[in-house]
Amino acid sequence: MMALPGGRHLDSITLPGQRLHLMQVDSVQRWMEDLKLMTECECMCVLQAKPISLEDDAQSDLILAGGPGPGDPLQLLLKRGWVISTELRRIGQKLAQDRWARVHSMSVRLTCHARSMVSEYSAVSRSSSQEMGQIEKLLMEKCSELSSVTERCLQVENEHVLKSMKACVSETLSMLGQHFGQLLELALTREVQALVRKIDASDNIYTTESTTGNLFSLTQEGAPLCRIIAKEGGVVALFKVCRQDSFRCLYPQALRTLASICCVEEGVHQLEKVDGVLCLANILTDDSHSEATRAEAAAVVAQVTSPHLPVTQHLSSFLESMEEIVTALVKLCQEASSGEVFLLASAALANITFFDTMACEMLLQLNAIRVLLEACSDKQRVDTPYTRDQIVTILANMSVLEQCASDIIQENGVQLIMGMLSEKPRSGTPAEVAACERVQQKAAVTLARLSRDPDVAREAVRLSCMSRLIELCRSPSERNSSDAVLVACLVSFQKKDKNLCALLLWLLFW
């Protein structure tokens, strides 16, 4: 059956004198006769590129089986973009293996996908810019060039000639990828601009909710899109929402989107420009806001103070509001009704202790050690190694203070930290195993730092801390084969008994 414009279909097209003849031949022959009279270029390309072998390369054809919804340019761009990126990567792999037949068929298929993306996006988007038109033209030219040169490679048998042509194919593929990346970025930028303008201009709660949801979905596509959103004013528009009382019910969604955008430096820069830290401080210190809203604000604080972002060290506005934020976060930890809320608040506190040493002194004054250690016995708030990782991070950073040792002994903290040396993953997933390693490592570091105080050292010995440290050193399975945990344990030994540390090193390595 062949599709015609307008949704109509024809079973076949035959000439009067051929009708009887076509009924007597098989269906493939009849299809070939029909193709003489009517063809569609893109259908031909798809048929030519369709793999017969049972390889993984067919996966990208299945991705668009449902296709993007009508009038949804964002989903169209993301789905087509993913498919084309995958095809480019696979062509590169087949090229490295000198599988020229596969390279050519996949090049033809890539051309089909690129042409479809350009035509479908043009049909549903606003008027195209001159710059986009130029890049579209360059992209399709490179696609044609790639198909043409790979077809010629199929007919070459001389290895030296084929080697030189391989370099040409590789260069063409690289240029094609660049043009595709430029086109996709331009198109996505236009769509992001439209979403940001819609949020900025809307006074309707349902429109704002829907548009913010679309923006959040985009942030989940990775750092490049977060950079585009930050550059095009997404942070400014979302903080505008968070400053309007009429949109209070949308604060959690807007803050969650902000936390995602601020995973890139551009997002943090924009937050600083719009005085976003003060807005977060106001939300955290206002008890009239729901716990969910304050938890999402804590998530934004955790993101912008992440030690992995060097730009956070220059957040001058954060220092001005730090005391209010730290106080509010300790209170949120104390009153948290769920493990998720406690995790977000404690993660923010953990990052702040890296951000500025004054934060540790503030936490000491706010009795944060008691709040955190009490939470360790509450399974509703602390039930995963990820949460314990945040708690032990705070304790490790606070343990540099002299007064910290007495507070930890008073709250039975040495025993709890000892328990963290036995942290084991439940599911065995890489993320959970890594979290358990961090807990063990930081627990050993905390004990090493606290052992400056004789009372802590005696308490650790009384609780058989030395035996557990020896076990972690000698048994890789006990420390999940982590060298970082081993080093931390040896450092802890050195603080307690240098002779024993030397003996352990001899037993381990000689």
Side-chain angles (χ1 to χ4, degrees):
M1 184 177 288
M2 188 168 292
L4 293 177
R8 294 172 293 166
H9 295 83
L10 288 179
D11 290 332
S12 64
I13 298 179
T14 59
L15 297 177
Q18 294 175 313
R19 186 177 300 276
L20 182 61
H21 167 69
L22 288 176
M23 291 177 65
Q24 297 172 348
V25 298
D26 63 20
S27 57
V28 174
Q29 183 63 38
R30 181 171 178 176
W31 170 71
M32 291 176 69
E33 292 289 338
D34 284 346
L35 285 179
K36 295 177 183 178
L37 303 175
M38 179 174 290
T39 61
E40 293 183 22
C41 294
E42 188 164 323
C43 290
M44 288 291 289
C45 290
V46 171
L47 288 168
Q48 185 178 354
K50 192 72 175 177
I52 297 175
S53 60
L54 300 175
E55 296 193 28
D56 295 336
D57 302 324
Q59 182 182 355
S60 60
D61 286 340
L62 303 176
I63 295 170
L64 288 175
D72 189 354
L74 269 174
Q75 287 304 311
L76 185 151
L77 286 170
L78 293 173
K79 289 183 178 181
R80 283 287 184 193
W82 195 93
V83 170
I84 293 173
S85 297
T86 303
E87 290 292 345
L88 284 168
R89 177 175 55 81
R90 287 176 176 168
I91 291 173
Q93 292 172 348
K94 301 302 178 187
L95 181 63
Q97 299 168 1
D98 294 329
R99 298 183 60 185
W100 291 105
R102 299 297 302 136
V103 169
H104 175 60
S105 63
M106 293 172 75
S107 298
V108 175
R109 190 166 69 195
L110 175 68
T111 303
C112 297
H113 286 308
R115 185 183 295 113
S116 295
M117 186 183 82
V118 170
S119 61
E120 288 171 7
Y121 182 67
S122 298
V124 299
S125 69
R126 303 151 192 83
S127 58
S128 178
S129 66
Q130 184 178 359
E131 185 181 10
M132 282 190 67
Q134 291 173 348
I135 297 177
E136 286 173 3
K137 183 180 178 181
L138 290 171
L139 175 65
M140 296 316 303
E141 285 176 356
K142 284 297 175 183
C143 283
S144 299
E145 183 181 333
L146 183 66
S147 297
S148 176
V149 72
T150 54
E151 185 175 15
R152 290 200 303 272
C153 288
L154 290 175
Q155 302 164 4
V156 175
E157 295 182 0
N158 187 302
E159 290 187 8
H160 294 291
V161 176
L162 202 56
K163 189 175 181 180
S164 63
M165 294 184 74
K166 182 176 180 179
C168 178
V169 172
S170 181
E171 184 180 351
T172 303
L173 192 64
S174 177
M175 289 300 298
L176 194 157
Q178 288 181 29
H179 293 321
F180 166 68
Q182 291 170 350
L183 180 62
L184 188 62
E185 183 176 356
L186 274 175
L188 286 170
T189 298
R190 290 180 61 197
E191 298 306 319
V192 167
Q193 288 171 344
L195 286 176
V196 170
R197 284 196 299 269
K198 199 171 182 181
I199 293 174
D200 199 44
S202 175
D203 57 1
N204 182 286
I205 193 169
Y206 301 108
T207 301
T208 305
E209 180 181 19
S210 172
T211 312
T212 304
N214 290 337
L215 206 59
F216 175 75
S217 297
L218 281 181
T219 65
Q220 304 307 294
E221 298 295 331
L225 265 168
C226 290
R227 291 189 184 95
I228 293 174
I229 294 170
K231 179 183 174 184
E232 300 305 326
V235 174
V236 179
L238 290 167
F239 269 113
K240 183 179 176 181
V241 171
C242 292
R243 288 185 167 108
Q244 296 182 57
D245 284 340
S246 57
F247 287 150
R248 273 201 167 210
C249 62
L250 300 183
Y251 283 10
Q253 185 186 46
L255 289 165
R256 192 177 305 120
T257 308
L258 280 166
S260 297
I261 299 171
C262 288
C263 72
V264 296
E265 291 185 24
E266 292 83 352
V268 180
H269 281 306
Q270 291 298 315
L271 179 141
E272 177 84 346
K273 285 182 180 179
V274 298
D275 212 4
V277 172
L278 180 60
C279 180
L280 295 172
N282 291 337
I283 292 173
L284 283 167
T285 55
D286 187 351
D287 289 339
S288 67
H289 287 296
S290 66
E291 185 186 65
T293 298
R294 286 179 286 139
E296 296 297 346
V300 182
V301 172
Q303 189 64 70
V304 301
T305 55
S306 171
H308 302 295
L309 288 175
V311 69
T312 59
Q313 298 302 318
H314 305 290
L315 274 175
S316 56
S317 61
F318 188 84
L319 294 174
E320 298 170 7
S321 304
M322 187 167 69
E323 186 173 358
E324 291 85 353
I325 290 174
V326 169
T327 304
L329 289 171
V330 171
K331 183 179 180 183
L332 189 58
C333 283
Q334 190 170 17
E335 299 175 353
S337 62
S338 68
E340 183 181 1
V341 173
F342 186 91
L343 176 61
L344 293 173
S346 59
L349 285 174
N351 286 350
I352 292 172
T353 60
F354 286 110
F355 182 78
D356 192 90
T357 53
M358 287 197 323
C360 294
E361 296 175 3
M362 291 178 187
L363 288 170
L364 204 56
Q365 294 170 3
L366 292 167
N367 293 322
I369 290 176
R370 177 178 57 79
V371 172
L372 295 172
L373 295 179
E374 283 181 356
C376 287
S377 58
D378 182 359
K379 296 299 182 184
Q380 188 174 355
R381 288 185 289 169
V382 181
D383 59 346
T384 68
Y386 308 107
T387 310
R388 281 185 282 274
D389 182 21
Q390 307 309 320
I391 292 173
V392 75
T393 299
I394 298 169
L395 294 176
N397 288 338
M398 289 183 68
S399 60
V400 298
L401 302 175
E402 295 292 338
Q403 191 183 340
C404 179
S406 60
D407 285 12
I408 285 180
I409 290 177
Q410 186 177 347
E411 298 298 333
N412 197 28
V414 176
Q415 185 170 355
L416 285 168
I417 296 170
M418 278 266 310
M420 292 179 182
L421 290 173
S422 301
E423 190 74 32
K424 290 284 186 182
R426 296 178 186 173
S427 64
T429 61
E432 190 172 356
V433 170
C436 290
E437 290 175 12
R438 292 194 301 271
V439 171
Q440 288 183 321
Q441 179 191 4
K442 292 171 186 176
V445 169
T446 306
L447 286 171
R449 290 176 177 176
L450 291 172
S451 293
R452 298 187 313 268
D453 187 300
D455 292 335
V456 173
R458 280 193 291 271
E459 180 69 5
V461 171
R462 187 184 69 82
L463 295 169
S464 302
C465 176
M466 306 294 276
S467 300
R468 179 56 185 161
L469 290 172
I470 291 171
E471 189 177 17
L472 285 168
C473 289
R474 300 197 66 180
S475 175
S477 62
E478 287 296 315
R479 60 175 191 270
N480 298 301
S481 301
S482 170
D483 291 339
V485 175
L486 172 61
V487 171
C489 291
L490 290 172
V491 170
S492 186
F493 267 122
Q494 189 179 28
K495 296 290 185 180
K496 295 177 178 65
D497 192 326
K498 291 184 180 180
N499 293 328
L500 182 57
C501 179
L503 177 61
L504 270 173
L505 284 170
W506 186 85
L507 289 171
L508 286 166
F509 301 111
W510 280 274

